[in-house]
Amino acid sequence: MSDEAQALLQSGDIPGLLRHLRAHADGMEPAEAARLMAEAAARSGFEDLREAAVAVAADPSDPQKLYDYGYACVERGVSFLAVPALRAALALVPGERALLTELVAALEDEWRHAEAVAVLDEHAADLWPWPDRYLLAYNALMAGDLDRASVEAERLPAPEDDGWLPARDRLARMLGRARAVRAVSPLDTRDLRGWHFALTGGVLATLSPFGFDDGMTGRYAYMGDGYATCRRSLDRLRLILAAAGREPAAVGLLPDRSSRILGLAAAEVLGLPAEPFDPARPDVLVVAYDLNEADLDEAAARGLWERAPGQVLFEHATCWTDPPPVSADISGFLHQAVAKPWGERLRFDSDSGNVEQVPPDERPAEELAAEIVGTAPAVEEGDGTAPPDSDGVLSRFVSAVRDHWLSGPRDRVRSPGPVPSSRFQ
């Protein structure tokens, strides 16, 4: 047990311990990590994980105990700890399907899709069509290997269990979108807009122009949003709708304050009436600021997932590390954390040299919407490392893929797919 890990545990810094283990777990024996997690789980009140960790610490040669521990790690959101334990169990019982599929699930949770493909390939003789070979096709696609994914998907027979039909159909939609994208975009590990569309079905309106070659590849980590950025998103929304030949009849207003502000602004910019969101209303542009904070009731969430005919869902600020429950048809930008223009925020005072806390702007939603409409859109120059992101580039992309847009349910996609970006823990 490393001195650093032990010190973090004894100090009660469980988040720090987990960051340490994330960086080092693959090089540790499962029993060593389990001893640390037993006490960490006890302090966190996770009795199931504590019991499973204690069992592995006592006997790391028992595949059932390793499986139970790995399963508990996945359930508690620490799949990086499940991976070495499940690998060890599978080495003890080669070909055991429950171990294999749980290991693949843990690797998927950690966005390690190429490793999931490699594990499945190692056990090719033991794979069943469903879900094993489906998982092979899906993870090949998420790893960026469209050709391999297409071959594996074509080999899949119809599932005997109808419960796998949604997964089959989702994979088919992803593959269809990816093929459409590849006609106009490289679909390589830098093609964020292309892969975002292929995987989620959504059009990414704006690429971050900062740090593209330094790990961000078009995504933001922390985004200090402003009225000018909101206006830029609305202008790009209008461009996307025009390129796709879509003419919504109204703007649907979601109940949370931020979405109402942006929805009212969108209605003004697009010259449309604004009305409360009705999940069954066709031909409506639904506007969300951040779907993770949209305060949707069950009927509204279900309606967005199913999509009414002609409905378009626009989300200004999409979190890529914690994706919303439904994937937007248009995303303004991808971020890890965002500070709203009207929310509490920090501001640098150039006169004093101090950073001060600015309270939330409590003006009515209508006034804030009018400020967005009246603000000139922000077009950030960036640092010169990002690929071209002009209106023409975006319009050509949308024109090329629009026949594959707005089809099927809005599935949540938890992984960023083949295009990596740096993130803070």
Side-chain angles (χ1 to χ4, degrees):
M1 189 179 302
S2 74
D3 292 341
E4 182 178 352
Q6 187 62 42
L8 290 166
L9 181 61
Q10 293 306 313
S11 69
D13 185 2
I14 305 303
L17 174 63
L18 293 178
R19 288 193 295 270
H20 176 85
L21 289 175
R22 177 180 286 279
H24 298 94
D26 280 354
M28 299 171 65
E29 292 296 327
E32 181 184 3
R35 280 191 288 272
L36 291 163
M37 283 309 298
E39 188 170 341
R43 295 189 183 199
S44 303
F46 298 155
E47 184 60 20
D48 56 334
L49 180 54
R50 187 199 68 81
E51 289 181 0
V54 167
V56 166
D59 184 7
S61 64
D62 186 324
Q64 183 63 55
K65 292 176 181 176
L66 288 165
Y67 172 82
D68 292 342
Y69 171 62
Y71 183 88
C73 287
V74 171
E75 290 297 296
R76 290 298 184 179
V78 285
S79 294
F80 59 90
L81 291 172
V83 170
L86 293 169
R87 282 192 191 276
L90 194 57
L92 292 168
V93 193
E96 174 56 47
R97 292 188 65 253
L99 287 171
L100 177 62
T101 54
E102 193 64 21
L103 174 56
V104 170
L107 289 166
E108 282 186 6
D109 275 358
E110 290 297 304
W111 309 341
R112 294 159 64 173
H113 301 289
E115 290 180 58
V117 170
V119 167
L120 289 163
D121 277 342
E122 289 171 7
H123 299 83
D126 303 315
L127 300 183
W128 292 9
W130 293 91
D132 307 6
R133 289 201 170 274
Y134 158 76
L135 292 173
L136 183 56
Y138 175 76
N139 279 284
L141 181 63
M142 298 301 285
D145 191 344
L146 176 56
D147 293 335
R148 174 75 187 277
S150 298
V151 168
E152 296 296 341
E154 289 171 3
R155 291 175 178 171
L156 281 173
E160 295 180 2
D161 181 352
D162 287 351
W164 285 107
L165 290 175
R168 181 200 64 180
D169 294 344
R170 180 181 71 160
L171 178 61
R173 289 191 299 272
M174 286 178 164
L175 289 169
R177 291 192 298 259
R179 295 185 191 107
V181 168
R182 194 158 66 173
V184 294
S185 202
L187 273 190
D188 55 21
T189 57
R190 293 164 56 90
D191 186 7
L192 181 61
R193 179 173 285 136
W195 277 114
H196 182 78
F197 182 79
L199 301 183
T200 73
V203 175
L204 178 58
T206 305
L207 300 176
S208 168
F210 300 104
F212 195 93
D213 291 337
D214 295 323
M216 295 315 301
T217 53
R219 299 182 179 97
Y220 290 93
Y222 173 83
M223 174 63 166
D225 199 7
Y227 294 96
T229 306
C230 290
R231 180 56 201 257
R232 169 71 164 163
S233 275
L234 296 182
D235 284 356
R236 287 236 145 169
L237 164 64
R238 180 168 52 189
L239 181 153
I240 291 166
L241 292 172
R246 295 283 173 166
E247 297 181 359
V251 169
L253 300 176
L254 294 176
D256 66 290
R257 174 174 163 80
S258 293
S259 293
R260 179 175 175 81
I261 293 167
L262 197 64
L264 290 170
E268 182 67 23
V269 168
L270 298 173
L272 298 173
E275 59 190 39
F277 170 59
D278 176 359
R281 171 83 151 87
D283 299 320
V284 166
L285 170 66
V286 185
V287 174
Y289 183 89
D290 182 339
L291 282 165
N292 281 335
E293 300 180 7
D295 194 25
L296 301 173
D297 60 26
E298 184 175 349
R302 182 75 183 179
L304 286 180
W305 180 77
E306 292 176 339
R307 85 164 66 246
Q311 185 192 86
V312 178
L313 175 59
F314 166 68
E315 180 184 28
H316 171 61
T318 298
C319 182
W320 70 274
T321 53
D322 181 21
V326 294
S327 292
D329 301 315
I330 304 171
S331 291
F333 57 85
L334 302 181
H335 69 91
Q336 184 168 352
V338 64
K340 303 179 186 67
W342 42 83
E344 186 176 78
R345 55 200 294 131
L346 296 175
R347 181 176 64 191
F348 177 73
D349 187 330
S350 57
D351 294 331
S352 67
N354 297 323
V355 175
E356 57 185 14
Q357 192 80 29
V358 178
D361 190 335
E362 302 292 354
R363 285 180 292 164
E366 290 77 7
E367 287 189 29
L368 296 173
E371 184 157 347
I372 293 173
V373 174
T375 300
V379 181
E380 297 176 308
E381 294 298 328
D383 55 19
T385 61
D389 190 26
S390 66
D391 287 353
V393 168
L394 177 58
S395 182
R396 285 191 293 274
F397 179 89
V398 175
S399 296
V401 303
R402 63 184 180 183
D403 290 344
H404 293 265
W405 193 44
L406 306 182
S407 62
R410 296 183 175 103
D411 293 311
R412 183 186 195 196
V413 180
R414 297 176 183 272
S415 169
V419 182
S421 291
S422 300
R423 58 173 173 161
F424 51 86
Q425 301 296 331

PDB file of all heavy atoms in Angstrom, residues 234-265:
ATOM      1  N   LEU A 234     -27.580  31.369 -30.702  1.00  0.00           N
ATOM      2  CA  LEU A 234     -28.872  31.540 -31.371  1.00  0.00           C
ATOM      3  C   LEU A 234     -28.697  31.814 -32.858  1.00  0.00           C
ATOM      4  O   LEU A 234     -29.486  31.348 -33.689  1.00  0.00           O
ATOM      5  CB  LEU A 234     -29.662  32.656 -30.702  1.00  0.00           C
ATOM      6  CG  LEU A 234     -30.072  32.399 -29.240  1.00  0.00           C
ATOM      7  CD1 LEU A 234     -30.894  33.566 -28.710  1.00  0.00           C
ATOM      8  CD2 LEU A 234     -30.837  31.086 -29.100  1.00  0.00           C
ATOM      9  N   ASP A 235     -27.663  32.566 -33.210  1.00  0.00           N
ATOM     10  CA  ASP A 235     -27.392  32.795 -34.634  1.00  0.00           C
ATOM     11  C   ASP A 235     -27.021  31.487 -35.330  1.00  0.00           C
ATOM     12  O   ASP A 235     -27.440  31.230 -36.463  1.00  0.00           O
ATOM     13  CB  ASP A 235     -26.273  33.818 -34.799  1.00  0.00           C
ATOM     14  CG  ASP A 235     -26.739  35.248 -34.525  1.00  0.00           C
ATOM     15  OD1 ASP A 235     -27.948  35.444 -34.290  1.00  0.00           O
ATOM     16  OD2 ASP A 235     -25.896  36.161 -34.549  1.00  0.00           O
ATOM     17  N   ARG A 236     -26.241  30.673 -34.650  1.00  0.00           N
ATOM     18  CA  ARG A 236     -25.859  29.386 -35.237  1.00  0.00           C
ATOM     19  C   ARG A 236     -27.057  28.430 -35.295  1.00  0.00           C
ATOM     20  O   ARG A 236     -27.173  27.615 -36.216  1.00  0.00           O
ATOM     21  CB  ARG A 236     -24.709  28.780 -34.445  1.00  0.00           C
ATOM     22  CG  ARG A 236     -23.388  29.513 -34.695  1.00  0.00           C
ATOM     23  CD  ARG A 236     -22.312  28.569 -35.178  1.00  0.00           C
ATOM     24  NE  ARG A 236     -21.422  29.187 -36.132  1.00  0.00           N
ATOM     25  CZ  ARG A 236     -20.286  28.633 -36.533  1.00  0.00           C
ATOM     26  NH1 ARG A 236     -19.891  27.478 -36.028  1.00  0.00           N
ATOM     27  NH2 ARG A 236     -19.539  29.222 -37.434  1.00  0.00           N
ATOM     28  N   LEU A 237     -27.925  28.511 -34.298  1.00  0.00           N
ATOM     29  CA  LEU A 237     -29.166  27.736 -34.332  1.00  0.00           C
ATOM     30  C   LEU A 237     -29.968  28.093 -35.576  1.00  0.00           C
ATOM     31  O   LEU A 237     -30.457  27.210 -36.299  1.00  0.00           O
ATOM     32  CB  LEU A 237     -29.980  28.025 -33.071  1.00  0.00           C
ATOM     33  CG  LEU A 237     -31.448  27.619 -33.057  1.00  0.00           C
ATOM     34  CD1 LEU A 237     -31.590  26.110 -33.173  1.00  0.00           C
ATOM     35  CD2 LEU A 237     -32.135  28.124 -31.781  1.00  0.00           C
ATOM     36  N   ARG A 238     -30.102  29.371 -35.851  1.00  0.00           N
ATOM     37  CA  ARG A 238     -30.838  29.811 -37.041  1.00  0.00           C
ATOM     38  C   ARG A 238     -30.176  29.286 -38.305  1.00  0.00           C
ATOM     39  O   ARG A 238     -30.863  28.822 -39.239  1.00  0.00           O
ATOM     40  CB  ARG A 238     -30.905  31.339 -37.054  1.00  0.00           C
ATOM     41  CG  ARG A 238     -31.637  31.912 -38.251  1.00  0.00           C
ATOM     42  CD  ARG A 238     -31.935  33.396 -38.058  1.00  0.00           C
ATOM     43  NE  ARG A 238     -30.745  34.168 -37.690  1.00  0.00           N
ATOM     44  CZ  ARG A 238     -30.793  35.435 -37.307  1.00  0.00           C
ATOM     45  NH1 ARG A 238     -31.960  36.063 -37.209  1.00  0.00           N
ATOM     46  NH2 ARG A 238     -29.675  36.076 -37.002  1.00  0.00           N
ATOM     47  N   LEU A 239     -28.846  29.322 -38.359  1.00  0.00           N
ATOM     48  CA  LEU A 239     -28.118  28.823 -39.530  1.00  0.00           C
ATOM     49  C   LEU A 239     -28.369  27.331 -39.722  1.00  0.00           C
ATOM     50  O   LEU A 239     -28.592  26.860 -40.850  1.00  0.00           O
ATOM     51  CB  LEU A 239     -26.626  29.111 -39.353  1.00  0.00           C
ATOM     52  CG  LEU A 239     -25.664  28.697 -40.464  1.00  0.00           C
ATOM     53  CD1 LEU A 239     -24.438  29.611 -40.452  1.00  0.00           C
ATOM     54  CD2 LEU A 239     -25.200  27.241 -40.322  1.00  0.00           C
ATOM     55  N   ILE A 240     -28.325  26.558 -38.651  1.00  0.00           N
ATOM     56  CA  ILE A 240     -28.513  25.108 -38.739  1.00  0.00           C
ATOM     57  C   ILE A 240     -29.920  24.780 -39.231  1.00  0.00           C
ATOM     58  O   ILE A 240     -30.112  23.910 -40.093  1.00  0.00           O
ATOM     59  CB  ILE A 240     -28.220  24.449 -37.377  1.00  0.00           C
ATOM     60  CG1 ILE A 240     -26.723  24.534 -37.065  1.00  0.00           C
ATOM     61  CG2 ILE A 240     -28.684  22.997 -37.359  1.00  0.00           C
ATOM     62  CD1 ILE A 240     -26.368  24.219 -35.625  1.00  0.00           C
ATOM     63  N   LEU A 241     -30.919  25.451 -38.685  1.00  0.00           N
ATOM     64  CA  LEU A 241     -32.286  25.205 -39.121  1.00  0.00           C
ATOM     65  C   LEU A 241     -32.444  25.512 -40.608  1.00  0.00           C
ATOM     66  O   LEU A 241     -33.102  24.755 -41.349  1.00  0.00           O
ATOM     67  CB  LEU A 241     -33.257  26.057 -38.299  1.00  0.00           C
ATOM     68  CG  LEU A 241     -33.396  25.701 -36.818  1.00  0.00           C
ATOM     69  CD1 LEU A 241     -34.238  26.733 -36.090  1.00  0.00           C
ATOM     70  CD2 LEU A 241     -33.991  24.308 -36.640  1.00  0.00           C
ATOM     71  N   ALA A 242     -31.833  26.590 -41.062  1.00  0.00           N
ATOM     72  CA  ALA A 242     -31.934  26.960 -42.483  1.00  0.00           C
ATOM     73  C   ALA A 242     -31.241  25.923 -43.370  1.00  0.00           C
ATOM     74  O   ALA A 242     -31.780  25.517 -44.404  1.00  0.00           O
ATOM     75  CB  ALA A 242     -31.336  28.349 -42.701  1.00  0.00           C
ATOM     76  N   ALA A 243     -30.048  25.481 -42.956  1.00  0.00           N
ATOM     77  CA  ALA A 243     -29.308  24.509 -43.762  1.00  0.00           C
ATOM     78  C   ALA A 243     -30.023  23.168 -43.824  1.00  0.00           C
ATOM     79  O   ALA A 243     -29.897  22.431 -44.803  1.00  0.00           O
ATOM     80  CB  ALA A 243     -27.897  24.333 -43.197  1.00  0.00           C
ATOM     81  N   ALA A 244     -30.764  22.852 -42.775  1.00  0.00           N
ATOM     82  CA  ALA A 244     -31.495  21.587 -42.736  1.00  0.00           C
ATOM     83  C   ALA A 244     -32.887  21.698 -43.323  1.00  0.00           C
ATOM     84  O   ALA A 244     -33.609  20.698 -43.440  1.00  0.00           O
ATOM     85  CB  ALA A 244     -31.598  21.098 -41.290  1.00  0.00           C
ATOM     86  N   GLY A 245     -33.301  22.904 -43.693  1.00  0.00           N
ATOM     87  CA  GLY A 245     -34.618  23.094 -44.262  1.00  0.00           C
ATOM     88  C   GLY A 245     -35.748  22.931 -43.264  1.00  0.00           C
ATOM     89  O   GLY A 245     -36.848  22.482 -43.614  1.00  0.00           O
ATOM     90  N   ARG A 246     -35.504  23.317 -42.021  1.00  0.00           N
ATOM     91  CA  ARG A 246     -36.501  23.160 -40.957  1.00  0.00           C
ATOM     92  C   ARG A 246     -37.076  24.519 -40.574  1.00  0.00           C
ATOM     93  O   ARG A 246     -36.329  25.488 -40.382  1.00  0.00           O
ATOM     94  CB  ARG A 246     -35.869  22.507 -39.731  1.00  0.00           C
ATOM     95  CG  ARG A 246     -35.406  21.080 -39.977  1.00  0.00           C
ATOM     96  CD  ARG A 246     -36.588  20.120 -39.982  1.00  0.00           C
ATOM     97  NE  ARG A 246     -36.199  18.772 -40.387  1.00  0.00           N
ATOM     98  CZ  ARG A 246     -36.977  17.693 -40.221  1.00  0.00           C
ATOM     99  NH1 ARG A 246     -38.167  17.844 -39.662  1.00  0.00           N
ATOM    100  NH2 ARG A 246     -36.564  16.515 -40.609  1.00  0.00           N
ATOM    101  N   GLU A 247     -38.389  24.573 -40.442  1.00  0.00           N
ATOM    102  CA  GLU A 247     -39.065  25.811 -40.072  1.00  0.00           C
ATOM    103  C   GLU A 247     -40.029  25.529 -38.924  1.00  0.00           C
ATOM    104  O   GLU A 247     -41.205  25.224 -39.144  1.00  0.00           O
ATOM    105  CB  GLU A 247     -39.817  26.392 -41.278  1.00  0.00           C
ATOM    106  CG  GLU A 247     -38.908  26.787 -42.438  1.00  0.00           C
ATOM    107  CD  GLU A 247     -39.683  27.389 -43.596  1.00  0.00           C
ATOM    108  OE1 GLU A 247     -40.928  27.467 -43.490  1.00  0.00           O
ATOM    109  OE2 GLU A 247     -39.056  27.784 -44.592  1.00  0.00           O
ATOM    110  N   PRO A 248     -39.554  25.622 -37.674  1.00  0.00           N
ATOM    111  CA  PRO A 248     -40.434  25.379 -36.534  1.00  0.00           C
ATOM    112  C   PRO A 248     -41.581  26.381 -36.511  1.00  0.00           C
ATOM    113  O   PRO A 248     -41.463  27.518 -37.013  1.00  0.00           O
ATOM    114  CB  PRO A 248     -39.509  25.569 -35.323  1.00  0.00           C
ATOM    115  CG  PRO A 248     -38.119  25.421 -35.862  1.00  0.00           C
ATOM    116  CD  PRO A 248     -38.175  25.920 -37.269  1.00  0.00           C
ATOM    117  N   ALA A 249     -42.702  25.952 -35.912  1.00  0.00           N
ATOM    118  CA  ALA A 249     -43.875  26.818 -35.837  1.00  0.00           C
ATOM    119  C   ALA A 249     -43.883  27.660 -34.573  1.00  0.00           C
ATOM    120  O   ALA A 249     -44.572  28.682 -34.518  1.00  0.00           O
ATOM    121  CB  ALA A 249     -45.147  25.967 -35.891  1.00  0.00           C
ATOM    122  N   ALA A 250     -43.144  27.242 -33.556  1.00  0.00           N
ATOM    123  CA  ALA A 250     -43.145  27.963 -32.280  1.00  0.00           C
ATOM    124  C   ALA A 250     -41.942  27.519 -31.464  1.00  0.00           C
ATOM    125  O   ALA A 250     -41.287  26.510 -31.780  1.00  0.00           O
ATOM    126  CB  ALA A 250     -44.437  27.693 -31.503  1.00  0.00           C
ATOM    127  N   VAL A 251     -41.645  28.284 -30.420  1.00  0.00           N
ATOM    128  CA  VAL A 251     -40.605  27.918 -29.452  1.00  0.00           C
ATOM    129  C   VAL A 251     -41.294  27.381 -28.204  1.00  0.00           C
ATOM    130  O   VAL A 251     -42.205  28.031 -27.665  1.00  0.00           O
ATOM    131  CB  VAL A 251     -39.721  29.130 -29.089  1.00  0.00           C
ATOM    132  CG1 VAL A 251     -38.831  28.811 -27.891  1.00  0.00           C
ATOM    133  CG2 VAL A 251     -38.859  29.528 -30.280  1.00  0.00           C
ATOM    134  N   GLY A 252     -40.888  26.209 -27.766  1.00  0.00           N
ATOM    135  CA  GLY A 252     -41.411  25.613 -26.544  1.00  0.00           C
ATOM    136  C   GLY A 252     -40.545  26.004 -25.365  1.00  0.00           C
ATOM    137  O   GLY A 252     -39.333  25.745 -25.358  1.00  0.00           O
ATOM    138  N   LEU A 253     -41.133  26.632 -24.363  1.00  0.00           N
ATOM    139  CA  LEU A 253     -40.390  27.122 -23.198  1.00  0.00           C
ATOM    140  C   LEU A 253     -40.379  26.074 -22.093  1.00  0.00           C
ATOM    141  O   LEU A 253     -41.442  25.635 -21.619  1.00  0.00           O
ATOM    142  CB  LEU A 253     -41.031  28.408 -22.669  1.00  0.00           C
ATOM    143  CG  LEU A 253     -41.097  29.594 -23.649  1.00  0.00           C
ATOM    144  CD1 LEU A 253     -41.848  30.757 -23.003  1.00  0.00           C
ATOM    145  CD2 LEU A 253     -39.697  30.012 -24.077  1.00  0.00           C
ATOM    146  N   LEU A 254     -39.188  25.677 -21.661  1.00  0.00           N
ATOM    147  CA  LEU A 254     -39.046  24.768 -20.530  1.00  0.00           C
ATOM    148  C   LEU A 254     -39.180  25.562 -19.225  1.00  0.00           C
ATOM    149  O   LEU A 254     -38.983  26.780 -19.202  1.00  0.00           O
ATOM    150  CB  LEU A 254     -37.699  24.052 -20.614  1.00  0.00           C
ATOM    151  CG  LEU A 254     -37.555  23.107 -21.809  1.00  0.00           C
ATOM    152  CD1 LEU A 254     -36.158  22.512 -21.865  1.00  0.00           C
ATOM    153  CD2 LEU A 254     -38.600  21.998 -21.780  1.00  0.00           C
ATOM    154  N   PRO A 255     -39.474  24.878 -18.114  1.00  0.00           N
ATOM    155  CA  PRO A 255     -39.853  25.610 -16.890  1.00  0.00           C
ATOM    156  C   PRO A 255     -38.723  26.278 -16.127  1.00  0.00           C
ATOM    157  O   PRO A 255     -38.974  27.224 -15.379  1.00  0.00           O
ATOM    158  CB  PRO A 255     -40.520  24.532 -16.033  1.00  0.00           C
ATOM    159  CG  PRO A 255     -39.939  23.232 -16.517  1.00  0.00           C
ATOM    160  CD  PRO A 255     -39.718  23.427 -17.981  1.00  0.00           C
ATOM    161  N   ASP A 256     -37.481  25.823 -16.270  1.00  0.00           N
ATOM    162  CA  ASP A 256     -36.416  26.427 -15.458  1.00  0.00           C
ATOM    163  C   ASP A 256     -36.078  27.825 -15.969  1.00  0.00           C
ATOM    164  O   ASP A 256     -36.258  28.147 -17.153  1.00  0.00           O
ATOM    165  CB  ASP A 256     -35.168  25.537 -15.447  1.00  0.00           C
ATOM    166  CG  ASP A 256     -34.515  25.427 -16.810  1.00  0.00           C
ATOM    167  OD1 ASP A 256     -35.114  24.778 -17.698  1.00  0.00           O
ATOM    168  OD2 ASP A 256     -33.439  25.992 -17.014  1.00  0.00           O
ATOM    169  N   ARG A 257     -35.602  28.670 -15.070  1.00  0.00           N
ATOM    170  CA  ARG A 257     -35.377  30.089 -15.375  1.00  0.00           C
ATOM    171  C   ARG A 257     -34.411  30.287 -16.540  1.00  0.00           C
ATOM    172  O   ARG A 257     -34.667  31.081 -17.457  1.00  0.00           O
ATOM    173  CB  ARG A 257     -34.852  30.791 -14.117  1.00  0.00           C
ATOM    174  CG  ARG A 257     -34.429  32.256 -14.321  1.00  0.00           C
ATOM    175  CD  ARG A 257     -34.065  32.904 -12.990  1.00  0.00           C
ATOM    176  NE  ARG A 257     -33.306  34.129 -13.138  1.00  0.00           N
ATOM    177  CZ  ARG A 257     -33.843  35.315 -13.431  1.00  0.00           C
ATOM    178  NH1 ARG A 257     -35.151  35.412 -13.612  1.00  0.00           N
ATOM    179  NH2 ARG A 257     -33.081  36.390 -13.534  1.00  0.00           N
ATOM    180  N   SER A 258     -33.292  29.581 -16.529  1.00  0.00           N
ATOM    181  CA  SER A 258     -32.290  29.787 -17.581  1.00  0.00           C
ATOM    182  C   SER A 258     -32.826  29.405 -18.951  1.00  0.00           C
ATOM    183  O   SER A 258     -32.587  30.100 -19.955  1.00  0.00           O
ATOM    184  CB  SER A 258     -31.021  28.996 -17.254  1.00  0.00           C
ATOM    185  OG  SER A 258     -30.382  29.512 -16.106  1.00  0.00           O
ATOM    186  N   SER A 259     -33.572  28.297 -19.022  1.00  0.00           N
ATOM    187  CA  SER A 259     -34.133  27.886 -20.307  1.00  0.00           C
ATOM    188  C   SER A 259     -35.207  28.858 -20.773  1.00  0.00           C
ATOM    189  O   SER A 259     -35.337  29.124 -21.976  1.00  0.00           O
ATOM    190  CB  SER A 259     -34.718  26.474 -20.194  1.00  0.00           C
ATOM    191  OG  SER A 259     -33.695  25.526 -19.972  1.00  0.00           O
ATOM    192  N   ARG A 260     -35.981  29.398 -19.826  1.00  0.00           N
ATOM    193  CA  ARG A 260     -37.005  30.376 -20.203  1.00  0.00           C
ATOM    194  C   ARG A 260     -36.355  31.638 -20.784  1.00  0.00           C
ATOM    195  O   ARG A 260     -36.806  32.170 -21.798  1.00  0.00           O
ATOM    196  CB  ARG A 260     -37.867  30.724 -19.002  1.00  0.00           C
ATOM    197  CG  ARG A 260     -38.943  31.757 -19.316  1.00  0.00           C
ATOM    198  CD  ARG A 260     -39.879  32.021 -18.137  1.00  0.00           C
ATOM    199  NE  ARG A 260     -40.809  33.084 -18.459  1.00  0.00           N
ATOM    200  CZ  ARG A 260     -41.916  32.935 -19.174  1.00  0.00           C
ATOM    201  NH1 ARG A 260     -42.221  31.728 -19.647  1.00  0.00           N
ATOM    202  NH2 ARG A 260     -42.715  33.958 -19.428  1.00  0.00           N
ATOM    203  N   ILE A 261     -35.287  32.096 -20.155  1.00  0.00           N
ATOM    204  CA  ILE A 261     -34.578  33.275 -20.671  1.00  0.00           C
ATOM    205  C   ILE A 261     -34.118  33.040 -22.103  1.00  0.00           C
ATOM    206  O   ILE A 261     -34.380  33.844 -23.010  1.00  0.00           O
ATOM    207  CB  ILE A 261     -33.370  33.606 -19.763  1.00  0.00           C
ATOM    208  CG1 ILE A 261     -33.839  34.071 -18.382  1.00  0.00           C
ATOM    209  CG2 ILE A 261     -32.478  34.659 -20.415  1.00  0.00           C
ATOM    210  CD1 ILE A 261     -32.735  34.113 -17.346  1.00  0.00           C
ATOM    211  N   LEU A 262     -33.430  31.932 -22.306  1.00  0.00           N
ATOM    212  CA  LEU A 262     -32.889  31.654 -23.637  1.00  0.00           C
ATOM    213  C   LEU A 262     -33.998  31.370 -24.635  1.00  0.00           C
ATOM    214  O   LEU A 262     -33.904  31.754 -25.808  1.00  0.00           O
ATOM    215  CB  LEU A 262     -31.922  30.477 -23.558  1.00  0.00           C
ATOM    216  CG  LEU A 262     -30.974  30.304 -24.744  1.00  0.00           C
ATOM    217  CD1 LEU A 262     -30.025  31.490 -24.851  1.00  0.00           C
ATOM    218  CD2 LEU A 262     -30.185  29.010 -24.625  1.00  0.00           C
ATOM    219  N   GLY A 263     -35.071  30.708 -24.189  1.00  0.00           N
ATOM    220  CA  GLY A 263     -36.183  30.421 -25.085  1.00  0.00           C
ATOM    221  C   GLY A 263     -36.880  31.686 -25.571  1.00  0.00           C
ATOM    222  O   GLY A 263     -37.228  31.808 -26.752  1.00  0.00           O
ATOM    223  N   LEU A 264     -37.075  32.636 -24.665  1.00  0.00           N
ATOM    224  CA  LEU A 264     -37.683  33.906 -25.064  1.00  0.00           C
ATOM    225  C   LEU A 264     -36.786  34.644 -26.057  1.00  0.00           C
ATOM    226  O   LEU A 264     -37.271  35.247 -27.025  1.00  0.00           O
ATOM    227  CB  LEU A 264     -37.940  34.768 -23.826  1.00  0.00           C
ATOM    228  CG  LEU A 264     -39.045  34.277 -22.883  1.00  0.00           C
ATOM    229  CD1 LEU A 264     -39.033  35.082 -21.579  1.00  0.00           C
ATOM    230  CD2 LEU A 264     -40.416  34.369 -23.552  1.00  0.00           C
ATOM    231  N   ALA A 265     -35.473  34.590 -25.828  1.00  0.00           N
ATOM    232  CA  ALA A 265     -34.542  35.227 -26.762  1.00  0.00           C
ATOM    233  C   ALA A 265     -34.576  34.536 -28.122  1.00  0.00           C
ATOM    234  O   ALA A 265     -34.566  35.195 -29.173  1.00  0.00           O
ATOM    235  CB  ALA A 265     -33.127  35.210 -26.188  1.00  0.00           C
TER     236      ALA A 265
END
